[in-house]
Amino acid sequence: MAVKDYIRKRFFPHIWCPGCGHGTVMNAMIRAIENLGLEKNIIAVVSGIGCSARINGYLDFHTLHTLHGRALAFATGVKLSRPELTVVVPMGDGDACAIGGNHFIHAARRNIDITAIIMNNSIYGMTGGQYSPLTGYDDFATTAPFGNIDPSFDVVKLATGAGASFVARTTTYHVTSTIKILEKAITHKGFSVVEILSQCPTQFGRRNKIPSVVDMLNSYKTDTTPIGSKEKEKNPDLMERGIFIQEDRPEYCTEYDKVIERASKGR
Amino acid sequence: MKKDVVFVQGNEACVRGALYAGLDFFAGYPITPSTEIAELLSRRLPAKRGKFIQMEDEISSMCAIVGASLTGKKVMTATSGPGFSLKQEALGFAVMTETPCVIVDVQRGGPSTGLPTSVSQGDVMQARWGTHGDHAVIALTASNSQDVFAITVEAFNLAETFRTPVILLLDEVVGHTRERLVEPKAGEIDVVERLKTSVPEGTDYHPYLPREDGRLPMSDFGGVHRHHVTGLAHDMWGFPSNKPDVVYGLMHHLIDKIEGHVNEITRVKEFFVDDAECLLISYGSAARTTRHVVENRRARGEKLGLLELQTLWPFPADLVRERCASANHIIVVEMNMGQILGEVKKVVKNPDGVFLANRIDGGFITPADVLNIIRITQGKGV
Amino acid sequence: MDKETTNKKVPDIKRDWCKGCGICVEFCPQDALSMDGMEKAILEYPEKCNSCGICELRCPDLAIELK
């Protein structure tokens, strides 16, 4: 199969702005699924609300476009009731870490076998450019006209602290490693978090004086470094990328099967 | 044949009714006075290979059951006022996506934290209009364990038949009162199964194209038809559309499929209604007190009657209008400040002639509360 | 074009999907792509293309497929 066999072609060209990183995330997602040779009927993609959330309308899987911040809660219902499904939950930074923060930490705590993709463009794109919990200090947004003072989350630490058993960070510049990471995340039996820095030229780039899409992508190259690299020691401000956590831990649906066995014997 | 007689709270009768109806998946969050429902199901669901999960809040509980329902399961959640408020957005999502599910609201004193362990029926209008936007909804209620069992099975049947969320309004008294329940055998009450599409693989399946009989066959997530479900206004394929004609058709479909079938959805119980001069209209635990008064007074020759509503929404306007036509006086008995009173006033010829016997202080409404109002209609003092 | 370049896989660009973001042009290691007057990416120098597929991978519009 090829990429075009995984999309609902009738809805292209897609809704995202020229140069939006979310298209590249979708591209990488499809290639990861293609490389894994997964059967389309067993894949459910559950999204919330926002630019990122429109991703599953384009994908020829079981697709559920839910409420802002609640994708993981819907996905928990899908996964627990049918554990044989591969459940992928793409979210925006607001979806996952603002309104959806509570569901994010609890899905991680449970270690339910869901792949959460956080498409981090440091802005609320759909609603026109407000700052989010992942917007940087002093960055500009329509609701931070004098520079953002909100400290932002470190999604990797947040996910790790909450108990996710697979945590990775990558960017839309590093396309090939993004595909590899997504393959591992989807295959991983447990709650997988993949933060993908994804450029938003229209709302973030323009407002923060980054001349072009290419400059935004290049900044993902210069501002990040592989985990534990020497550059990180020399320049602690660099954002580390790669796979931070990859552990086998009891997975929620498998544990619940044990509950069912105990309950059935208990009669 | 020996009947299964058990002595259970209304909350347990609801659990038994849900299991009888084929409940597969429950997600909930602890909140008085509904927690027993979650506790019982955490034990009984896995025993029949069903799934129970306690989510992180009421919002995620409501979202989780919608997700589970879409995979082909019969689902339920249970809460009380504060949790019911939190669930409204996701309830609206179930309305828009036409996802069968049952939401139990064991009402307590409100608003806000209110009276957690006291009875009230103050969520009736929230059940109708809690979620935003024009929409239709089904809300049922019952006044004792036997009826709670039956109405719970009805809730699942109507949810499947009309592909809609069904709200089950219980209250602290019905929920916690322990009383006799004769448990029907399998097959005694009919159970409507999930209507699944017969469209073969490879043929296009329209998730939202009703059949001639108005039913909407479903295809499970994980099945052979990969389709899209969204809370956005959508076309019959399930994909977003904001074209006025598509939205117009969708809105009328969502509302007419329920408001156009009120008779099929209406459940009432009638006690001495036919020759009642003074007709009392009540529901839920308030109907227990009202029935006591009616039966007690009937024995003294007073022509009282009780129309007990088990369907609150869609409001059975024609039936209420018709039953009220022959009565000289109408009294609505409820534990709120007149939420069903208002609906009755809308459908009778003489709205000013409709009285309210109510209680809003957290206490359970007593026969005296009702008798005082009856005396007023008879021109006597209290 | 000689035999060698004809069966070589080169990017086929769906013009109506391409939104002219310029990513493919910028990151093509052979500088085989460029933007035309309509702000659409085109394979201006097919002979330069070495079928590496970076453009196909990077395109946010899924407009490019090597054929």
Side-chain angles (χ1 to χ4, degrees):
Chain A
M1 302 235 272
V3 167
K4 62 178 181 340
D5 302 314
Y6 290 87
I7 54 175
R8 292 165 168 153
K9 286 189 270 302
R10 59 189 185 289
F11 296 121
F12 285 75
H14 58 53
I15 190 179
W16 295 312
C17 306
C20 166
H22 291 354
T24 310
V25 171
M26 176 163 71
N27 200 334
M29 232 176 102
I30 292 169
R31 288 167 198 279
I33 288 169
E34 184 184 24
N35 295 343
L36 293 172
L38 296 177
E39 220 274 316
K40 289 199 267 188
N41 281 347
I42 58 118
I43 297 173
V45 183
V46 183
S47 68
I49 294 290
C51 297
S52 60
R54 298 307 287 269
I55 191 168
N56 61 10
Y58 303 113
L59 299 172
D60 181 18
F61 303 123
H62 300 286
T63 52
L64 178 55
H65 178 214
T66 68
L67 301 172
H68 188 46
R70 315 301 177 192
L72 281 171
F74 282 89
T76 299
V78 171
K79 181 68 182 182
L80 184 56
S81 62
R82 281 186 83 146
E84 68 278 14
L85 294 180
T86 296
V87 179
V88 180
V89 179
M91 292 172 282
D93 26 321
D95 237 350
C97 304
I99 185 171
N102 193 30
H103 311 308
F104 179 65
I105 56 175
H106 287 280
R109 173 180 60 82
R110 288 193 196 94
N111 196 36
I112 187 165
D113 183 16
I114 285 174
T115 303
I117 301 171
I118 300 181
M119 300 157 74
N120 175 9
N121 57 8
S122 306
I123 201 84
Y124 282 87
M126 176 78 79
T127 40
Q130 301 72 35
Y131 72 90
S132 83
L134 302 185
T135 303
Y137 187 78
D138 247 352
D139 283 340
F140 288 95
T142 55
T143 43
F146 307 108
N148 177 39
I149 58 165
D150 273 47
S152 57
F153 279 131
D154 176 324
V155 173
V156 165
K157 286 187 182 141
L158 183 65
T160 306
S165 54
F166 182 101
V167 181
R169 172 185 294 130
T170 178
T171 87
T172 44
Y173 177 90
H174 305 90
V175 179
T176 31
S177 63
T178 296
I179 293 169
K180 286 282 157 283
I181 285 175
L182 285 173
E183 282 168 39
K184 290 202 178 84
I186 291 169
T187 319
H188 177 73
K189 275 275 163 285
F191 193 67
S192 310
V193 176
V194 180
E195 178 190 17
I196 306 179
L197 300 184
S198 170
Q199 76 278 5
C200 171
T202 305
Q203 302 297 359
F204 187 86
R206 206 173 30 151
R207 208 159 272 116
N208 287 280
K209 306 288 179 291
I210 305 170
S212 78
V213 169
V214 171
D215 294 306
M216 291 188 84
L217 278 172
N218 285 330
S219 74
Y220 285 158
K221 176 165 180 274
T222 53
D223 298 350
T224 67
T225 182
I227 298 170
S229 69
K230 271 189 294 319
E231 291 79 51
K232 175 67 178 174
E233 281 150 29
K234 274 188 255 126
N235 177 358
D237 292 339
L238 289 174
M239 226 186 191
E240 286 179 305
R241 53 182 165 81
I243 299 175
F244 294 76
I245 304 279
Q246 186 168 8
E247 293 162 6
D248 280 332
R249 285 203 222 118
E251 190 276 327
Y252 197 79
C253 300
T254 318
E255 287 302 297
Y256 197 81
D257 288 339
K258 293 179 191 164
V259 167
I260 287 177
E261 287 330 307
R262 281 179 224 140
S264 318
K265 273 203 286 316
R267 242 197 315 271
Chain B
M1 188 181 69
K2 183 184 153 313
K3 286 274 183 185
D4 273 340
V5 181
V6 286
F7 188 62
V8 293
Q9 289 186 330
N11 280 349
E12 179 167 356
C14 177
V15 163
R16 288 168 176 262
L19 292 169
Y20 186 93
L23 177 69
D24 296 305
F25 183 97
F26 178 91
Y29 190 80
I31 182 168
T32 302
S34 75
T35 316
E36 295 83 2
I37 293 174
E39 289 169 337
L40 290 165
L41 283 172
S42 69
R43 174 178 294 279
R44 294 188 190 166
L45 259 178
K48 63 185 274 290
R49 312 203 75 77
K51 302 278 174 87
F52 163 88
I53 184 167
Q54 182 174 301
M55 294 293 284
E56 51 271 21
D57 53 27
E58 286 91 347
I59 299 169
S60 48
S61 299
M62 184 65 208
C63 295
I65 67 166
V66 172
S69 181
L70 286 168
T71 70
K73 308 289 177 170
K74 288 196 171 181
V75 301
M76 180 166 99
T77 186
T79 189
S80 182
F84 194 44
S85 294
L86 290 173
K87 290 178 192 282
Q88 293 300 326
E89 186 190 7
L91 194 149
F93 183 88
V95 168
M96 181 61 116
T97 57
E98 304 188 70
T99 306
C101 55
V102 173
I103 303 100
V104 183
D105 173 16
V106 188
Q107 298 165 94
R108 74 192 211 178
S112 186
T113 313
L115 296 161
T117 57
S118 303
V119 66
S120 144
Q121 296 175 306
D123 303 350
V124 168
M125 274 300 170
Q126 180 176 27
R128 177 67 185 91
W129 291 115
T131 200
H132 57 285
D134 283 303
H135 62 277
V137 81
I138 296 176
L140 309 177
T141 184
S143 57
N144 58 71
S145 289
Q146 192 68 47
D147 288 357
V148 165
F149 184 100
I151 214 72
T152 302
V153 177
E154 267 317 291
F156 279 90
N157 289 349
L158 292 173
E160 291 300 330
T161 306
F162 292 93
R163 264 191 74 170
T164 176
V166 173
I167 296 159
L168 194 47
L169 286 173
L170 307 182
D171 57 61
E172 191 281 324
V173 165
V174 169
H176 282 163
T177 298
R178 195 172 285 274
E179 61 188 338
R180 187 171 184 274
L181 163 66
V182 178
E183 196 152 33
K185 290 274 180 282
E188 250 180 79
I189 310 179
D190 70 30
V191 170
V192 172
E193 289 313 330
R194 174 66 54 94
L195 176 64
K196 303 223 173 162
T197 183
S198 50
V199 171
E201 182 164 11
T203 320
D204 288 333
Y205 160 69
H206 301 67
Y208 296 107
L209 176 66
R211 293 189 323 196
E212 297 74 41
D213 61 7
R215 294 291 302 279
L216 275 162
M218 291 181 79
S219 171
D220 303 344
F221 263 43
V224 295
H225 298 291
R226 296 180 301 281
H227 62 96
H228 189 59
V229 173
T230 179
L232 282 167
H234 48 270
D235 57 28
M236 62 184 168
W237 295 86
F239 287 98
S241 168
N242 52 19
K243 291 205 201 75
D245 56 334
V246 171
V247 175
Y248 180 90
L250 173 66
M251 289 301 286
H252 269 286
H253 162 69
L254 289 175
I255 290 169
D256 298 350
K257 79 175 179 182
I258 288 175
E259 300 290 347
H261 293 86
V262 175
N263 296 342
E264 275 173 74
I265 299 168
T266 294
R267 302 285 181 279
V268 291
K269 298 187 88 164
E270 302 188 31
F271 306 88
F272 310 101
V273 168
D274 295 342
D275 66 342
E277 282 167 17
C278 173
L279 180 63
L280 294 108
I281 301 176
S282 189
Y283 56 93
S285 59
R288 300 169 73 103
T289 305
T290 312
R291 185 171 164 190
H292 170 81
V293 168
V294 166
E295 286 170 348
N296 185 288
R297 287 286 144 187
R298 268 283 165 172
R300 290 174 175 67
E302 282 188 47
K303 289 205 170 6
L304 304 181
L306 163 62
L307 173 62
E308 179 183 348
L309 304 177
Q310 293 192 314
T311 300
L312 296 181
W313 311 114
F315 189 70
D318 296 341
L319 182 139
V320 170
R321 177 182 304 112
E322 192 265 327
R323 294 298 190 282
C324 289
S326 50
N328 303 336
H329 299 290
I330 302 156
I331 301 174
V332 176
V333 185
E334 55 189 332
M335 286 180 282
N336 56 49
M337 301 183 88
Q339 295 183 29
I340 289 297
L341 173 73
E343 297 306 301
V344 173
K345 278 178 180 279
K346 275 192 231 165
V347 299
V348 294
K349 271 197 284 319
N350 171 20
D352 298 336
V354 184
F355 289 76
L356 172 64
N358 71 338
R359 190 146 184 163
I360 53 157
D361 57 6
F364 180 46
I365 191 161
T366 65
D369 297 327
V370 182
L371 285 166
N372 290 343
I373 303 302
I374 293 173
R375 289 173 62 84
I376 289 172
T377 65
Q378 294 164 343
K380 301 174 189 157
V382 282
Chain C
M1 285 196 280
D2 56 36
K3 177 81 186 54
E4 190 265 326
T5 55
T6 49
N7 53 29
K8 172 178 74 173
K9 283 199 169 190
V10 290
D12 163 70
I13 299 169
K14 289 192 178 66
R15 287 184 65 80
D16 53 1
W17 286 16
C18 165
K19 293 182 179 173
C21 67
I23 290 176
C24 60
V25 172
E26 170 66 24
F27 288 99
C28 172
Q30 308 296 111
D31 292 328
L33 297 162
S34 49
M35 303 301 292
D36 70 9
M38 297 286 290
E39 280 296 307
K40 299 283 182 178
I42 52 162
L43 179 59
E44 194 170 357
Y45 308 103
E47 67 288 358
K48 288 188 178 175
C49 169
N50 64 6
S51 312
C52 73
I54 282 180
C55 53
E56 183 182 5
L57 277 181
R58 285 194 175 281
C59 174
D61 301 326
L62 276 62
I64 303 178
E65 187 183 1
L66 261 59
K67 284 188 175 142

